[in-house]
Amino acid sequence: MMRKEISKLLLGVVRKAYGGVKLPPFIVEVPENPEHGDYSTNAALVLSQVLKKSPHEIGTVLAGALRGAKDFSSVAVAGPGFINFTVADDVLAKKISDVLKKGKTWGNTRAGKGKKVIVEYFQLNIAKRPHIGHLRSAVIGDSLKRMFLLAGYHTISDTHVGDWGTQFGILLLAFKGSGMKTSDATLRADPFGVLEGLYIKENERITADPNRRELAKLEFAKLERGGKENRKIWKWMVDVSMENLEASSRRLGLLKFNEHMGESAYEKAMPGIVKMALEKHVAKQLSDGAIIADLSGEGLDEAVLVKSDGATTYLLRDLATILYRKNRHAFQKNIYLVDVRQSHHFRQVFSVAKKLGFDGVGESVHVEFGFMSLPEGNMSTRKGNAISLVAVLGEAHEKALAVIREKNPNVKHADDIAWSVGLGAIKYFDLSHNRRSDIVFRWEDALSFEGNTGPYLQYTHARLKSILRKAKMKKPKILKSISPDALEHRISVMLLRLPEAIGASLETYSPNILANYLSALAHLANEFYHSHPVMQEADAAKRAFRFALVDAVAATLERGLWCLGIDAPDEM
Ligand code: ARG
């Protein structure tokens, strides 16, 4: 919250003290050690290289000039020339009052005003069950969407459903061969189980008898040409899959998607793109008929737009997607939540798109992530033994319910709370890690009520809410003069940093920055309520301030958890 203000102040005093000198890039950070103030900057150190003066001397000049600034109770030079800032108590009082007044809009900024961002995640594939490999995309993508919304971006989410490609030839071949009808009761009862089984079996047959691959290709060609029977079966698969997507998305508590543009939606745009790529000499046709863009000069090999048998590719559909998004939305940012295995693919896509002029308005970013696995093995596999998402969420609920029953046997709505806590545990586990890391999910770690976990944050929030409930005090509207002790001061400064934490998370698409900020705030809050009575405090002014502080920290945790897609129950 204060970072920008401090940077501005610094630029001002540097101009005043040193005339036209340009201040090189400097940082304003939150010192590890609270004794070094609330914020600290290396501005004097970077300036010393330009001015050829000692950083301490420059620091002293700048700190002297800043001493009058009304927002700080102290501006001091420390060490070799760092300038440390301590925020004045009346500023804290005013800002905390603002937080309480803002309520549900606390944390909103205008950083993204007038900018459009497209966030693509939870890209399920038709005729397959969502498995736990889809979880990270959904959870990280949903969190980024939430933060973009808070930061004032016009945000459009899309699932880019995988509903097209040669694998549908395989599925159609298998389905028609099975003699089943889409109206069959067994199929209706468990469509994905049956379809996955058929797909796996057909793949085995193709491996044994490569001629069958030609038959599968034929089936896809019929689908592409609009063959009635194939279209009908395919449409049925799309419909059951989309119903399932909606249900899973609700189960996961994801925000509503703005678009579900399947890969098939780009079918018509593909020939035009191929034509353009050939005309612009971005791509060429090889003697076997394939159409490729040679990116070997950039170390990206050949990008295949059309295969030698004339089939369009996944890459070509992605090019069509960028063109659509550019024309339709004129995005500033177009981001893809897809695991690291596809980073080469996206580099190729972005490179060809750029050559074709599709990126004119904004930038496309592959926000890649590593794998989440269970201790007993991988969570994502194409071999058919994938762990279903529904199963994992069910287990989360069951395990959370047991913990809650044990901790608080009298709590009402234990079942609802268990869904929130189970889901919160999984989401927080995912989001608190660097997204690029491969992570091993362990229930014991994720569900613990202590340490850096979702349930710990939820529990801290519920504790604060219970203090507020028991206090039965009226919300103080405006805090006047306050005199916080060291811990109260630290918490106050910390809670005000929510918008900063959101901004920093968005800069690098890293929700773990926000997660770790919330965890640090919750730790301070725990320290606080164990050592600082609220209602038992005799001094009325202190009591009112502590009450407001508890209220503001609870609001901050609630808003922060919302950004992570995690519920904050009032009781647990
Ligand atoms: N459905 C694809 C898969 O399962 C992921 C889609 C990623 N998004 C994209 N625009 N290519 O691999």
Side-chain angles (χ1 to χ4, degrees), residues 151-363:
Y153 285 82
H154 183 154
T155 309
I156 295 150
S157 53
D158 179 24
T159 47
H160 196 74
V161 181
D163 64 357
W164 210 242
T166 43
Q167 72 272 28
F168 288 96
I170 300 178
L171 255 177
L172 284 165
L173 180 66
F175 187 82
K176 286 159 85 173
S178 75
M180 260 185 272
K181 288 205 190 64
T182 55
S183 54
D184 286 355
T186 43
L187 186 58
R188 298 252 154 180
D190 180 20
F192 302 105
V194 174
L195 291 172
E196 281 172 10
L198 285 176
Y199 186 71
I200 291 165
K201 246 206 220 116
E202 189 55 59
N203 265 316
E204 286 166 8
R205 281 213 202 112
I206 289 174
T207 319
D209 172 12
N211 286 331
R212 280 193 80 83
R213 188 172 294 284
E214 296 312 312
L215 295 178
K217 276 186 188 160
L218 231 63
E219 293 297 340
F220 183 59
K222 278 189 218 156
L223 178 68
E224 274 189 304
R225 269 187 269 114
K228 263 214 177 107
E229 190 189 5
N230 284 10
R231 281 274 164 169
K232 207 177 140 214
I233 301 170
W234 173 79
K235 179 74 173 49
W236 172 78
M237 291 179 194
V238 170
D239 289 345
V240 283
S241 304
M242 289 312 289
E243 262 169 46
N244 190 47
L245 186 150
E246 295 286 0
S248 315
S249 160
R250 268 197 304 275
R251 219 331 131 246
L252 281 170
L254 307 182
L255 292 183
K256 260 200 160 333
F257 284 94
N258 302 94
E259 291 190 348
H260 293 291
M261 292 285 291
E263 290 184 36
S264 65
Y266 301 105
E267 204 195 353
K268 289 215 173 70
M270 289 193 278
I273 291 173
V274 173
K275 193 164 163 257
M276 185 198 290
L278 289 170
E279 276 167 15
K280 291 194 170 182
H281 302 291
V282 172
K284 61 182 179 202
Q285 185 149 33
L286 301 181
S287 56
D288 67 359
I291 298 174
I292 62 121
D294 185 0
L295 307 176
S296 51
E298 303 156 49
L300 289 176
D301 319 304
E302 289 179 349
V304 183
L305 278 63
V306 179
K307 294 185 209 165
S308 57
D309 63 6
T312 59
T313 59
Y314 178 53
L315 183 124
L316 182 56
R317 284 190 285 284
D318 261 324
L319 290 172
T321 306
I322 295 193
L323 182 61
Y324 162 81
R325 289 180 184 168
K326 170 186 135 102
N327 290 341
R328 172 80 211 262
H329 298 300
F331 59 81
Q332 263 77 31
K333 282 173 199 287
N334 171 35
I335 70 180
Y336 300 79
L337 277 294
V338 180
D339 74 56
V340 291
R341 288 176 303 183
Q342 294 197 27
S343 53
H344 186 262
H345 165 75
F346 281 108
R347 277 196 215 120
Q348 288 192 328
V349 172
F350 298 159
S351 166
V352 179
K354 194 165 177 193
K355 291 192 169 74
L356 291 172
F358 292 178
D359 65 336
V361 274
E363 62 163 349

Side-chain angles (χ1 to χ4, degrees), residues 6 29-41 72-76 78 82-87 486 489-490 493-494 497:
I6 292 175
E29 60 178 359
V30 178
E32 292 267 332
N33 181 348
E35 281 167 21
H36 295 161
D38 302 322
Y39 289 91
S40 178
T41 180
F72 305 98
S73 59
S74 131
V75 181
F82 289 103
I83 307 173
N84 298 337
F85 298 80
T86 304
V87 181
H489 179 94
R490 265 181 85 195
V493 175
M494 180 73 110
R497 287 182 45 222

Side-chain angles (χ1 to χ4, degrees), residues 371-380 429 438-442:
F371 283 92
M372 173 134 92
S373 57
L374 290 171
E376 52 268 28
N378 207 311
M379 283 183 167
S380 110
F429 188 84
D438 289 335
I439 53 183
V440 180
F441 181 84
R442 286 193 184 78

